[in-house]
Amino acid sequence: RKEVEQDPGPFNVPEGATVAFNCTYSNSASQSFFWYRQDCRKEPKLLMSVYSSGNEDGRFTAQLNRASQYISLLIRDSKLSDSATYLCVVNWGGGGNKLTFGTGTQLKVEL
Amino acid sequence: GAGVSQSPRYKVAKRGQDVALRCDPISGHVSLFWYQQALGQGPEFLTYFQNEAQLDKSGLPSDRFFAERPEGSVSTLKIQRTQQEDSAVYLCASSPPGTYYEQYFGPGTRLTVT
């Protein structure tokens, strides 16, 4: 079983839609959680950290459920420019500064 | 300012050849990471340096893979006797002091082993 699991998609949504991605992680000792974004044939970039209380950054909302070992990312009012692969990322502390990436969920926002 | 740079951007190697991939991190970033990304997968951790010290090499898939950062800035990932399964994009990332998770990635080197 992979340490970080995501539905690979693709999720095809119309512009303006709300879309949610989920991610589960297997190591209950995991301490820190992030979402990275990767455009096609480009490098990953940090989108946002995920805090236990949930956090929002503009149209993006991240949630963490430690009991279920589950992370989510909600995107409201989708834009064409949101089309990318969204990578769920976990650091379990005991592994030092190593980040463990999920496979990624592909989002395509269409007119 | 300048981001992380990697060279070459593309490398085609014949099976059995040795290759060397270079990473120039952002100036002042003490932490440097190497990842391997296969098609359709997320990046997989290979190794991590803090300055010149290699603190974690648990992700290196075999003893054919070797990384170094002798002066704490530029790093080289070397793959000896390349195999077809080594074909992937090799990503380098660096992070500023105190924020290991905010990793700035380079554009990657796409390695194809024929």
Side-chain angles (χ1 to χ4, degrees):
Chain A
R1 184 186 171 191
K2 278 185 160 289
E3 289 185 57
V4 180
E5 296 209 46
Q6 297 181 252
D7 179 345
F11 283 57
N12 298 310
V13 303
E15 207 174 11
T18 296
V19 61
F21 307 134
N22 302 322
C23 164
T24 57
Y25 58 94
S26 60
N27 189 338
S28 59
S30 296
Q31 294 189 354
S32 306
F33 310 90
F34 315 95
W35 285 99
Y36 270 69
R37 170 193 168 131
Q38 186 170 27
D39 292 329
C40 187
R41 293 187 164 265
K42 298 284 191 179
E43 69 274 18
K45 292 183 180 176
L46 177 66
L47 179 65
M48 60 196 299
S49 301
V50 185
Y51 302 120
S52 296
S53 53
N55 49 297
E56 200 172 291
D57 183 359
R59 297 181 294 107
F60 298 81
T61 301
Q63 298 267 346
L64 168 64
N65 183 323
R66 285 188 185 270
S68 302
Q69 295 178 207
Y70 168 100
I71 305 156
S72 66
L73 177 68
L74 183 81
I75 306 175
R76 288 183 301 278
D77 188 23
S78 302
K79 312 288 185 197
L80 293 175
S81 57
D82 294 333
S83 298
T85 295
Y86 291 84
L87 297 160
C88 178
V89 185
V90 171
N91 170 270
W92 65 282
N97 291 343
K98 173 175 118 176
L99 296 181
T100 301
F101 287 76
T103 305
T105 297
Q106 189 180 11
L107 172 65
K108 295 181 181 178
V109 182
E110 301 162 332
L111 285 171
Chain B
V4 177
S5 62
Q6 293 187 245
S7 61
R9 291 292 311 278
Y10 302 91
K11 177 71 180 176
V12 179
K14 285 188 165 44
R15 188 167 167 241
Q17 277 185 331
D18 297 350
V19 298
L21 313 180
R22 177 188 167 106
C23 172
D24 275 275
I26 294 172
S27 177
H29 283 195
V30 300
S31 297
L32 185 147
F33 304 81
W34 282 99
Y35 293 87
Q36 180 190 61
Q37 187 170 24
L39 193 63
Q41 302 295 314
E44 296 266 355
F45 171 81
L46 293 177
T47 187
Y48 155 60
F49 291 86
Q50 188 163 307
N51 295 305
E52 68 279 3
Q54 189 174 18
L55 298 187
D56 187 343
K57 53 181 181 179
S58 61
L60 295 175
S62 77
D63 59 8
R64 296 186 296 105
F65 287 70
F66 172 76
E68 59 182 6
R69 194 185 184 198
E71 295 174 1
S73 55
V74 170
S75 178
T76 304
L77 176 67
K78 296 179 180 176
I79 309 173
Q80 296 177 322
R81 303 180 305 281
T82 51
Q83 304 292 317
Q84 281 196 312
E85 62 263 28
D86 299 336
S87 296
V89 175
Y90 290 85
L91 293 162
C92 175
S94 67
S95 63
T99 58
Y100 69 90
Y101 59 85
E102 188 172 3
Q103 297 185 13
Y104 294 82
F105 283 79
T109 295
R110 185 175 297 274
L111 173 65
T112 304
V113 181
T114 59

